[in-house]
């Protein structure tokens, strides 16, 4: 599967971008291999690559691709799909992957809030630990509301800037 492209690119320049962007993701806490696979998909004109293409571009094994894609799919950063008329899978990054990843984090934050509420009740609101947990809970409740409002503003901004996607 050769990617159509509006302009020929130097593969070394693309590779440097992928590795640099992946390094930034690693610095932020993502594992190295998923970061590289995500960077390669982002740098792909179609946003779709097969396991073989990812392995070739990144010089990694099929097992490394599989593990990275599994992680990225769990984080809602890529999706798996079948190549039409084939049993081969290909992996797609979407324009809204950041939105999806952040939205997925909201569910995690809600679980943390539930655990913190239980902690405040268990430890007592009037204890130093209970007050610390209550403040942490208030922070996450604040963040959740702000993210929800921000995502609404993002949808409007995105449509204004890029049109319906």
């Amino acid at each position: 599967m050769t990617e159509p492209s509006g302009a020929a690119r130097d593969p070394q320049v693309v590779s440097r971008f992928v590795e640099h962007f992946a390094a930034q993701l690693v610095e932020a806490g993502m594992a190295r291999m998923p970061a590289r696979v995500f960077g390669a998909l982002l740098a792909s004109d179609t946003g779709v690559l097969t396991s073989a293409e990812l392995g070739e571009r990144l010089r990694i094994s099929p097992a490394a691709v599989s593990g990275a894609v599994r992680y990225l799919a769990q984080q809602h950063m890529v999706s798996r799909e079948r190549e039409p008329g084939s049993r081969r899978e290909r992996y797609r990054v979407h324009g809204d992957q950041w939105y999806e990843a952040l939205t997925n984090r909201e569910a995690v934050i809600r679980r943390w809030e539930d655990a913190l509420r239980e902690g405040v009740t268990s430890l007592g609101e009037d204890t130093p630990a209970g007050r610390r947990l209550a403040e942490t809970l208030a922070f996450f409740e604040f963040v959740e509301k702000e993210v929800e409002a921000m995502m609404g503003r993002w949808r409007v901004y995105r449509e204004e800037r890029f049109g319906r996607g």
Side-chain angles (χ1 to χ4, degrees):
M1 168 184 195
T2 304
E3 272 193 272
S5 175
R9 287 196 206 97
D10 181 344
Q12 289 181 330
V13 171
V14 174
S15 180
R16 276 195 300 275
F17 163 76
V18 168
E19 296 304 327
H20 176 49
F21 188 72
Q24 301 308 306
L25 294 174
V26 168
E27 182 87 14
M30 185 182 285
R32 183 171 183 266
M33 205 54 65
R36 292 181 72 216
V37 167
F38 187 68
L41 284 165
L42 275 179
S44 159
D45 281 340
T46 62
V48 178
L49 295 170
T50 65
S51 179
E53 290 167 330
L54 284 164
E56 182 181 320
R57 288 176 190 214
L58 299 172
R59 296 181 178 87
I60 59 176
S61 71
V65 171
S66 179
V69 168
R70 186 177 323 105
Y71 171 82
L72 293 168
Q74 288 171 343
Q75 302 305 311
H76 302 276
M77 295 177 76
V78 301
S79 60
R80 297 172 188 250
E81 55 190 46
R82 290 275 181 213
E83 207 171 84
S86 169
R87 292 182 54 197
R88 290 190 333 174
E89 280 192 331
R90 57 187 187 179
Y91 310 109
R92 178 181 299 277
V93 66
H94 299 276
D96 62 352
Q97 75 274 354
W98 300 113
Y99 174 85
E100 289 297 324
L102 192 55
T103 301
N104 183 51
R105 294 283 185 259
E106 287 182 41
V108 172
I109 289 173
R110 281 192 289 281
R111 288 195 304 269
W112 291 349
E113 289 172 354
D114 291 344
L116 287 164
R117 275 187 203 90
E118 184 179 314
V120 170
T121 300
S122 298
L123 300 175
E125 279 185 56
D126 297 331
T127 67
R131 282 192 297 274
R132 189 170 44 254
L133 292 179
E135 184 176 340
T136 303
L137 172 60
F139 171 77
F140 284 121
E141 290 169 338
F142 174 82
V143 166
E144 186 177 13
K145 286 178 187 167
E146 289 299 308
V147 166
E148 186 178 321
M150 180 181 65
M151 295 316 265
R153 291 189 308 272
W154 162 248
R155 285 187 293 274
V156 170
Y157 176 79
R158 180 179 183 214
E159 187 171 329
E160 289 170 356
R161 181 145 185 211
F162 300 104
R164 288 215 178 260

